């Protein structure tokens, strides 16, 4: 498996999706479909840490880089999911450079970080700690979520933090921080999005966005806009949209 971190750094488009359903078959189906990465969503699901480990394992074995979207910027949770074998984390609600530095430190061992050392799945249960430590330095991925207007105002400083590989916009929470939840076409929201693109272009940051509905046309549009770390829908939306479309077509006929 190619290093996701290095592909992001090269500016390659990498397409992923969210897993919110805990059954390992979900990760297997989506990984084998060809996603570059899959993020186990611990923020907006009821997936447990034990279930997350199994999803991480299945995604990795089926060729997709396993990431975890955290419940919060929590060093304890970061340590546990990285020990479970995650290739990196997606950190919600990062609004300052200080918060970004804390997330990076929690992923890495001393002296570059503050993560405690344990012997779990990631370290081969103790058989490959040295190899994992070397892998971590070059391959651990940290993506910060820009989902508050405060983050937009501090974006240059956040993206300058060493160890932040890129960002992904959380459109619902960003619009909510403006008092406009879900109003993606409101002028204030459009201005915030334009500001994000402007800053990212100026500093050469790798930009991400979530295409919420499984809409290939929107996916192509976002790639055309220069986004390279793109989350294409999520498991439950794909299931819902496909089911409804099939039933609607059958009943119409």
């Amino acid at each position: 498996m190619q290093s996701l971190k290095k592909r992001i750094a090269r500016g390659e488009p990498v397409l992923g999706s969210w897993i919110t359903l805990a059954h390992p078959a979900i990760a297997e189906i989506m990984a084998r479909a060809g996603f570059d990465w899959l993020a186990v969503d611990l923020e907006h699901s009821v997936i447990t840490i034990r279930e997350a480990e199994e999803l991480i394992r299945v995604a990795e074995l089926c060729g997709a880089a396993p990431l975890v979207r955290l419940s919060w910027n929590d060093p304890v949770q970061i340590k546990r999911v990285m020990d479970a074998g995650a290739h990196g984390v997606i950190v919600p609600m990062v609004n300052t450079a200080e918060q970004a530095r804390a997330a990076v430190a929690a992923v890495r061992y001393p002296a570059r970080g503050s993560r405690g050392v344990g012997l779990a799945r990631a370290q081969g249960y103790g058989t490959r700690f040295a190899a994992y430590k070397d892998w971590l330095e070059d391959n651990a991925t940290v993506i910060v979520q820009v989902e508050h207007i405060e983050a937009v105002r501090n974006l240059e400083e956040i993206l300058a933090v060493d160890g932040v590989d890129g960002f992904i916009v959380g459109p619902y929470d960003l619009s909510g921080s403006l008092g406009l939840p879900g109003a993606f076409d409101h002028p204030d929201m459009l201005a915030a999005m334009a500001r994000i693109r402007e800053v990212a272009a100026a500093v050469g940051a790798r930009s991400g966005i979530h295409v919420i509905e499984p809409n290939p046309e929107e996916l192509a549009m976002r790639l055309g806009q220069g986004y390279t770390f793109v989350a294409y829908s999520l498991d439950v939306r794909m299931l819902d949209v496909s089911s409804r479309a099939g039933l609607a077509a059958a009943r119409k006929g």
Side-chain angles (χ1 to χ4, degrees), residues 92-104:
M93 205 60 74
V94 174
N95 296 333
T96 67
E98 181 180 4
Q99 292 170 352
R101 281 191 288 270
V104 172

Side-chain angles (χ1 to χ4, degrees), residues 25-239:
I26 300 293
E28 183 177 20
I29 291 166
M30 295 176 76
R32 288 185 173 175
F35 282 107
D36 299 303
W37 57 271
L38 291 171
V40 179
D41 189 355
L42 298 185
E43 183 182 16
H44 294 296
S45 79
V46 296
I47 293 174
T48 66
I49 189 70
R50 173 64 188 85
E51 292 165 337
E53 181 189 40
E54 187 65 16
L55 295 167
I56 289 166
R57 177 184 289 111
V58 171
E60 185 178 45
L61 290 173
C62 292
L67 304 178
V68 173
R69 175 159 70 173
L70 306 166
S71 305
W72 197 246
N73 190 356
D74 176 4
V76 174
Q77 190 177 67
I78 291 173
K79 175 172 59 179
R80 296 187 77 190
V81 301
M82 292 301 295
D83 282 352
H87 288 200
V89 292
I90 300 175
V91 189
M93 205 60 74
V94 174
N95 296 333
T96 67
E98 181 180 4
Q99 292 170 352
R101 281 191 288 270
V104 172
V107 167
R108 297 187 176 279
Y109 293 133
R112 291 188 64 189
S114 58
R115 177 178 163 194
V117 178
L119 302 177
R121 179 177 178 269
Q123 302 86 4
Y125 306 101
T127 64
R128 53 183 303 273
F129 174 73
Y132 175 73
K133 184 168 67 72
D134 292 341
W135 175 92
L136 189 71
E137 288 297 309
D138 295 331
N139 296 284
T141 301
V142 177
I143 302 293
V144 297
Q145 286 195 228
V146 175
E147 49 186 347
H148 196 281
I149 194 60
E150 183 184 0
V152 178
R153 297 185 185 118
N154 295 326
L155 193 55
E156 292 99 333
E157 293 82 4
I158 292 170
L159 298 179
V161 171
D162 182 34
V164 169
D165 296 292
F167 71 91
I168 186 166
V169 177
Y172 272 106
D173 282 327
L174 178 57
S175 63
S177 75
L178 293 165
L180 303 162
F184 301 141
D185 293 327
H186 190 280
D188 290 351
M189 181 65 176
L190 294 175
M193 293 295 293
R195 172 64 178 160
I196 291 169
R197 290 194 297 271
E198 175 186 325
V199 171
V203 303
R206 304 309 179 194
S207 305
I209 197 164
H210 185 192
V211 177
I212 298 167
E213 295 300 314
N215 183 327
E217 290 76 20
E218 184 183 354
L219 176 60
M221 178 190 74
R222 295 304 189 185
L223 291 169
Q225 289 176 334
Y227 292 100
T228 56
F229 184 84
V230 182
Y232 182 57
S233 198
L234 63 156
D235 49 10
V236 293
R237 293 306 304 139
M238 293 180 191
L239 181 60

